[in-house]
Amino acid sequence: MSPEKLTYMANQIAGFFRTRPHQEAIDGVADHISKFWEPRMRAQLFSMIEQGGAGFDPLVLDAAPSIRKVG
């Protein structure tokens, strides 16, 4: 998947949860990505975050440690 599309999708999820209290939003983003993104997408997400996470909504970055790891 293109990095731009993956960033867009992750940020869309963050936007959905933005109105919730911060910890609830973090949990919601992490839960959604863990449940509905295939392992390759999650691996790409982690790789992009390791490279600086440019373009990601801060909520995505806050949720990253709680997203189910690949492998």
Side-chain angles (χ1 to χ4, degrees), residues 9-31:
M9 290 173 60
N11 289 346
Q12 241 185 342
I13 295 164
F16 176 81
F17 288 102
R18 176 145 327 283
T19 59
R20 307 232 173 121
H22 190 66
Q23 188 59 51
E24 187 178 327
I26 289 171
D27 295 342
V29 171
D31 185 57

Side-chain angles (χ1 to χ4, degrees), residues 12-60:
Q12 241 185 342
I13 295 164
F16 176 81
F17 288 102
R18 176 145 327 283
T19 59
R20 307 232 173 121
H22 190 66
Q23 188 59 51
E24 187 178 327
I26 289 171
D27 295 342
V29 171
D31 185 57
H32 182 90
I33 291 174
S34 293
K35 284 183 179 176
F36 299 109
W37 283 26
E38 65 178 25
R40 288 179 296 176
M41 291 172 66
R42 286 184 278 125
Q44 185 178 0
L45 172 71
F46 292 132
S47 175
M48 291 171 65
I49 290 172
E50 286 173 9
Q51 295 171 13
F56 285 112
D57 185 293
L59 195 50
V60 174

